[in-house]
Amino acid sequence: MVHSIVIGAGMVGLATAWHLQERGVEVTVLDRTGVAAGSSWGNAGWLTPGKAIPLADPSLWTYGPKALIDPDAALHVPFRVDATLWTFLAQFAAHGTHRAWDRTMAALTPIDKIALACFDELTDGGVDSWTREGPFVIGFPEEAHAKGFLREIAGVERHGQSVPLERLENPQELAPQLSPAVKAAYRLDGQRFLEPWPFMKALGEAVVARGATLRTGADVIDVTGGAEPSVTLSSGERIAADSVVIATGAWMPKLARRFGVRTRVQAGRGYSFTVETTDPAEHPVYLPAQRIACTPYEGRFRIAGTMEFRGPDEVLQPRRIQAIINQSRTLLQGVDLDNRQDEWVGSRPVTPDGLPLVGATRADGVYVAGGHGMWGIVLGPATGKLLAEQIVTGRTDPAIAPFNPLR
């Protein structure tokens, strides 16, 4: 039987493993920590293809400089001598133009369109978890603050997606967590959400139940391509296969760079925590001006935010948690921000051009899947499906052609 090794047990890695199994491939999944140990665990769980858009846009040129001196800003860059980081930021900022935004959005639209159907494939195929329809409630302190968000939605629709959006006169009916300080609100439909850890746990269990070997505590230090692709663990053990998929998120460059994957991958770290609410939270809430996403999660309310450009293994910075609290305190009500649980930081893999890295490398039998930035959860199943097709058949689906990792 054909055998593939998938390095990384996040959404992208496990979805790739699942779809390889669909095509009759024997799979071994290796992860140095465990299922969803990276950015898949504590994210907001939003399945919002209508918001899977380029991270860099023209507003970066006005927002970015202000963010550098505002300790509560959602964007945070530490002041340090780091040539690699500042080179990435320069490349990232260069994509903050209308032309670059449209080019990237055009490339993302085909995979955005199939993203939700690919979740249905997983749950219909035995992944014992759920995805749930919104609506999502979008709130702004002032009507003028909604202009950028509305422009983004219009841009997504211009590229061919349907993103139903309507003005709400009384947003507290859907989201009692919004305070009267929210002066303008909208209802966003056609999107879904999930509870990240329960879903990831179910996906990992389904992959194992279908015959995969899942090894945690397996630290891969080297990958070899060619006639007999293989991986070498820190223990010295070597495992051979017919193909190897590197799906290690923000850590991808450590293993993939030598195979011609030159696009920079920078950890854009997100933070989250959960709180109790006076009224039950039933719908996701988004505060675009503050870049804060909130989701019902196991009877509590998960609050997530921040794009912090640091190393992927650096420790949690409590000041970033406080920034989220400071930004949300006046806009939320009935939310116990002082009694937080599950404080978390996760490293999302961000590329300068806003496009993932998915496909074959220069080494025979070695593939990569990652670089989705904030959209690894929503685009993970579709990525896994299309990459599995490429690995097994050699055909590159047009939806992932723009994500060529050798670009």
Side-chain angles (χ1 to χ4, degrees):
M1 178 180 285
V2 176
H3 177 214
S4 183
I5 296 171
V6 176
I7 311 169
M11 176 64 87
V12 174
L14 289 177
T16 302
W18 195 91
H19 280 287
L20 284 169
Q21 291 176 312
E22 284 288 278
R23 292 179 171 273
V25 178
E26 179 184 355
V27 179
T28 298
V29 180
L30 306 174
D31 195 281
R32 64 175 181 172
T33 305
V35 170
S39 59
S40 292
W41 186 87
N43 65 85
W46 285 21
L47 310 184
T48 52
K51 283 295 294 170
I53 62 177
L55 293 180
D57 64 32
S59 70
L60 182 67
W61 292 99
T62 53
Y63 175 76
K66 295 177 182 178
L68 291 177
I69 60 175
D70 180 359
D72 288 337
L75 175 64
H76 180 71
V77 181
F79 288 102
R80 59 172 58 164
V81 178
D82 186 335
T84 299
L85 172 60
W86 290 103
T87 299
F88 166 82
L89 291 172
Q91 294 174 344
F92 182 76
H95 287 85
T97 67
H98 291 293
R99 178 177 294 181
W101 193 95
D102 276 317
R103 184 170 58 246
T104 302
M105 191 68 242
L108 289 171
T109 296
I111 196 169
D112 284 351
K113 286 183 173 181
I114 66 172
L116 296 182
C118 289
F119 276 90
D120 293 336
E121 285 190 62
L122 295 178
T123 54
D124 292 346
V127 176
D128 187 17
S129 194
W130 52 261
T131 68
R132 188 168 298 161
E133 294 280 350
F136 287 64
V137 182
I138 320 298
F140 303 90
E142 304 291 343
E143 181 65 50
H145 294 170
K147 291 181 179 178
F149 177 82
L150 296 177
R151 185 171 56 249
E152 289 175 350
I153 296 298
V156 172
E157 292 198 315
R158 187 175 68 250
H159 282 277
Q161 291 192 62
S162 174
V163 190
L165 188 71
E166 66 178 78
R167 179 70 186 262
L168 287 173
E169 295 304 321
N170 185 9
Q172 285 79 15
E173 290 183 358
L174 290 174
Q177 292 74 34
L178 287 176
S179 80
V182 173
K183 303 300 185 183
Y186 293 81
R187 170 182 175 139
L188 176 68
D189 285 295
Q191 320 295 306
R192 305 185 200 172
F193 68 98
L194 52 71
E195 294 180 338
W197 168 239
F199 192 97
M200 293 301 306
K201 181 174 180 288
L203 178 55
E205 289 171 348
V207 168
V208 171
R210 289 151 58 102
T213 298
L214 172 60
R215 292 180 56 177
T216 60
D219 185 17
V220 177
I221 61 172
D222 191 30
V223 176
T224 302
E228 187 182 60
S230 67
V231 304
T232 302
L233 306 184
S234 57
S235 63
E237 180 183 359
R238 178 179 174 273
I239 308 172
D242 298 286
S243 61
V244 176
V245 178
I246 302 171
T248 51
W251 295 266
M252 180 190 290
K254 292 182 179 180
L255 296 175
R257 190 166 179 79
R258 60 183 290 231
F259 301 120
V261 183
R262 301 298 183 184
T263 299
R264 294 181 182 274
V265 178
Q266 169 65 44
R269 305 195 327 161
Y271 286 74
S272 72
F273 51 85
T274 65
V275 296
E276 293 183 349
T277 59
T278 302
D279 295 304
E282 297 182 1
H283 305 295
V285 170
Y286 184 35
L287 304 172
Q290 293 72 32
R291 274 77 166 178
I292 291 174
C294 310
T295 316
Y297 184 81
E298 297 191 321
R300 294 171 66 84
F301 204 42
R302 172 167 282 176
I303 301 177
T306 293
M307 176 62 75
E308 179 193 45
F309 289 125
R310 285 184 180 267
D313 291 312
E314 294 189 46
V315 299
L316 180 148
Q317 305 292 312
R319 185 63 186 83
R320 305 317 310 150
I321 296 286
Q322 189 61 48
I324 297 173
I325 295 167
N326 294 346
Q327 290 274 25
S328 61
R329 192 177 289 278
T330 61
L331 300 175
L332 299 177
Q333 63 180 2
V335 173
D336 191 354
L337 293 170
D338 298 319
N339 183 20
R340 301 179 299 279
Q341 295 182 12
D342 305 319
E343 291 189 348
W344 170 90
V345 61
S347 294
R348 300 166 296 201
V350 180
T351 61
D353 61 5
L355 294 177
L357 300 164
V358 182
T361 71
R362 288 179 182 168
D364 290 344
V366 178
Y367 301 81
V368 298
H372 294 80
M374 297 172 63
W375 317 123
I377 289 291
V378 61
L379 300 183
T383 296
K385 177 179 181 177
L386 301 182
L387 180 59
E389 177 187 7
Q390 183 185 34
I391 292 171
V392 173
T393 70
R395 175 182 178 270
T396 300
D397 190 282
I400 59 169
F403 309 157
N404 183 350
L406 303 180
R407 63 181 184 272

